[in-house]
Amino acid sequence: MDYSDLIKRLLNNEPRAAARLITIVENDITAAEEIINSIYKYTGNAYILGVTGAPGSGKSTFISTLTKILVEQGKKLGIICVDPTSPLTGGALLGDRIRMKEHFTLNNLFIRSMANRGQLGGLARATEDVIKILDVYGCDIVIVETVGVGQSEVDIFKSAQTVAVLLQPEVGDDIQAIKAGIMEITDIFVVNKMDLPGVDRKVAEISQMLELESSFKYSSDDFSKEFTKIRKWTPEIVKVNSKTGENFDIFLEIVDHHKNFLKETSIIESYEKNRIKNETLQILKHKLTKKVEKLISSNSEIEKYINLVMDKSLDPYSMANLIIKLLGIE
Ligand SMILES: Nc1nc2c(ncn2[C@@H]2O[C@H](COP(=O)(O)OP(=O)(O)OP(=O)(O)O)[C@@H](O)[C@H]2O)c(=O)[nH]1
Ligand SMILES: [Mg+2]
């Protein structure tokens, strides 16, 4: 297929071309390869903000208010709602769409929902590609929202420069409910619903957790660890009211502060290198799995190996090693 016309229209900031290309990369990994190959050189301008939190913590309300503020500031925004747990027609997502609707008429806003369909190389792979399309579409900021419960989210957030996690007062176990992997990559803890009682207790709980974590992590006097500590960003905590927008100015200041920190310490470069490594790994996993599947279904040697394993003269590990040899990638 020739996608050059669609890509030209994407570069002209046509929303319909962006929507069309997103659908294509979600559903057809071969097409995705071709499209990303053509647009990759235009990427790298958008700032990626990851937002997560337990169900009910207020993600939709928070993002809706944030969107209003950023769009009023003249920013062009892309929002990707990733829900690995539900099909696209899920009720929660539908509710979100209705709540988000007031922004739909705005020209500089593009909202896209993604769910766990297709599994073509994984949701993280598809999300990476959608981020790139929105980047080329001219978005200044791309917000990626997930529900914060699974490993796939950790993968998804590997491309975010800043990750914010939403917590709420009077919910005792929400810190524990968030995957450990997500905690480690969190830059800003947002205690939402500051109008409710117990907000300061929640802030104290988080800072206690962070102190504990840092004393645990850096108790060794190993020089490189100390060095990491100096250069490492200390996660910030902010309380907000997503219904009124209270303290959103502080939240945005922290995002700016983090953005500058990444630039000044050149951490952004290592983020980028890591992102490239991770992304390539995802693609390789997909491609190699396909190759192996094809080999297993078509190579005559395989049948022989299976019989040998049945005879117990070969074990599955050794058979796997033989297949790796057949692939010629050892
Ligand atoms: N009092 C108060 N309520 C809030 C605030 N932010 C959100 N809420 C309410 O909390 C409830 C959940 O908010 P949502 O924005 O739907 O939360 P969510 O994280 O998107 O939830 P899921 O999509 O189900 O995961 C709603 O009833 C909101 O009105 C806040 O700052 N203060
Ligand atoms: Mg929601």
Side-chain angles (χ1 to χ4, degrees):
M1 270 287 283
D2 180 16
Y3 300 106
S4 55
D5 184 51
L6 272 175
I7 290 169
K8 208 184 293 162
R9 286 170 48 207
L10 178 74
L11 285 163
N12 279 329
N13 301 348
E14 264 187 56
R16 289 185 60 175
R20 182 84 196 97
L21 284 166
I22 286 172
T23 305
I24 295 170
V25 301
E26 273 183 320
N27 295 304
D28 182 346
I29 195 168
T30 318
E33 188 163 339
E34 221 175 292
I35 291 163
I36 298 304
N37 181 277
S38 313
I39 67 168
Y40 194 74
K41 55 179 172 289
Y42 304 112
T43 63
N45 300 309
Y47 197 76
I48 321 295
L49 173 69
V51 175
T52 190
S57 54
K59 296 178 297 295
S60 304
T61 318
F62 176 80
I63 291 173
S64 183
T65 301
L66 190 63
T67 300
K68 222 180 263 173
I69 295 170
L70 292 171
V71 167
E72 269 166 23
Q73 286 178 359
K75 300 264 185 354
K76 185 167 169 175
L77 223 67
I79 300 176
I80 307 172
C81 308
V82 188
D83 191 348
T85 56
S86 82
L88 205 60
T89 49
L93 224 47
L94 207 64
D96 281 358
R97 285 189 154 183
I98 293 161
R99 216 169 304 142
M100 289 276 200
K101 212 172 175 177
E102 55 185 303
H103 305 301
F104 265 122
T105 46
L106 298 168
N107 262 342
N108 33 3
L109 177 65
F110 191 102
I111 301 176
R112 183 70 175 203
S113 294
M114 294 177 74
N116 211 5
R117 54 175 183 181
Q119 275 294 350
L120 293 162
L123 199 53
R125 191 283 305 166
T127 308
E128 289 282 354
D129 291 350
V130 175
I131 291 173
K132 289 190 185 78
I133 289 170
L134 290 180
D135 186 346
V136 176
Y137 174 57
C139 290
D140 301 298
I141 301 167
V142 175
I143 299 176
V144 183
E145 179 202 342
T146 81
V147 292
V149 286
Q151 176 60 37
S152 58
E153 273 126 318
V154 180
D155 288 337
I156 285 164
F157 279 161
K158 278 178 181 157
S159 61
Q161 279 107 343
T162 302
V163 174
V165 170
L166 258 67
L167 298 162
Q168 51 180 331
E170 295 200 312
V171 177
D173 57 355
D174 57 348
I175 296 182
Q176 282 75 20
I178 305 262
K179 269 260 168 190
I182 287 189
M183 279 298 178
E184 275 159 30
I185 57 169
T186 299
D187 304 299
I188 308 172
F189 288 92
V190 179
V191 181
N192 190 31
K193 311 190 188 182
M194 64 180 283
D195 51 309
L196 299 184
V199 64
D200 290 323
R201 201 176 328 132
K202 180 62 75 176
V203 170
E205 254 176 61
I206 300 165
S207 60
Q208 222 170 15
M209 178 204 72
L210 289 174
E211 263 168 44
L212 206 73
E213 203 184 50
S214 69
S215 64
F216 169 73
K217 258 193 189 154
Y218 306 113
S219 56
S220 149
D221 57 3
D222 181 298
F223 173 75
S224 65
K225 276 188 188 158
E226 275 305 309
F227 187 66
T228 318
K229 180 183 171 185
I230 294 162
R231 293 174 38 108
K232 195 177 142 64
W233 166 262
T234 312
E236 298 233 14
I237 310 168
V238 59
K239 47 185 182 184
V240 302
N241 182 335
S242 293
K243 281 184 154 177
T244 61
E246 191 178 353
N247 279 1
F248 272 61
D249 50 343
I250 301 176
F251 172 77
L252 286 170
E253 251 171 48
I254 298 174
V255 173
D256 254 359
H257 181 189
H258 186 233
K259 195 173 173 179
N260 290 334
F261 171 86
L262 293 180
K263 255 192 234 152
E264 282 160 15
T265 53
S266 315
I267 289 181
I268 203 142
E269 224 172 87
S270 51
Y271 265 41
E272 183 65 5
K273 281 184 181 165
N274 256 334
R275 189 192 58 74
I276 292 169
K277 234 191 265 175
N278 280 315
E279 195 180 343
T280 311
L281 194 65
Q282 301 274 354
I283 297 168
L284 273 173
K285 270 187 202 163
H286 177 76
K287 286 193 174 250
L288 287 174
T289 305
K290 283 269 163 256
K291 263 194 200 301
V292 172
E293 279 167 5
K294 198 170 156 211
L295 184 89
I296 287 180
S297 64
S298 66
N299 193 294
S300 57
E301 291 294 300
I302 304 292
E303 195 60 31
K304 265 195 261 165
Y305 295 159
I306 292 174
N307 287 330
L308 288 173
V309 175
M310 284 182 82
D311 286 350
K312 309 276 190 261
S313 45
L314 196 68
D315 67 278
Y317 281 102
S318 309
M319 174 166 162
N321 286 336
L322 288 168
I323 291 174
I324 289 175
K325 274 213 181 90
L326 278 180
L327 280 170
I329 52 166
E330 207 179 21

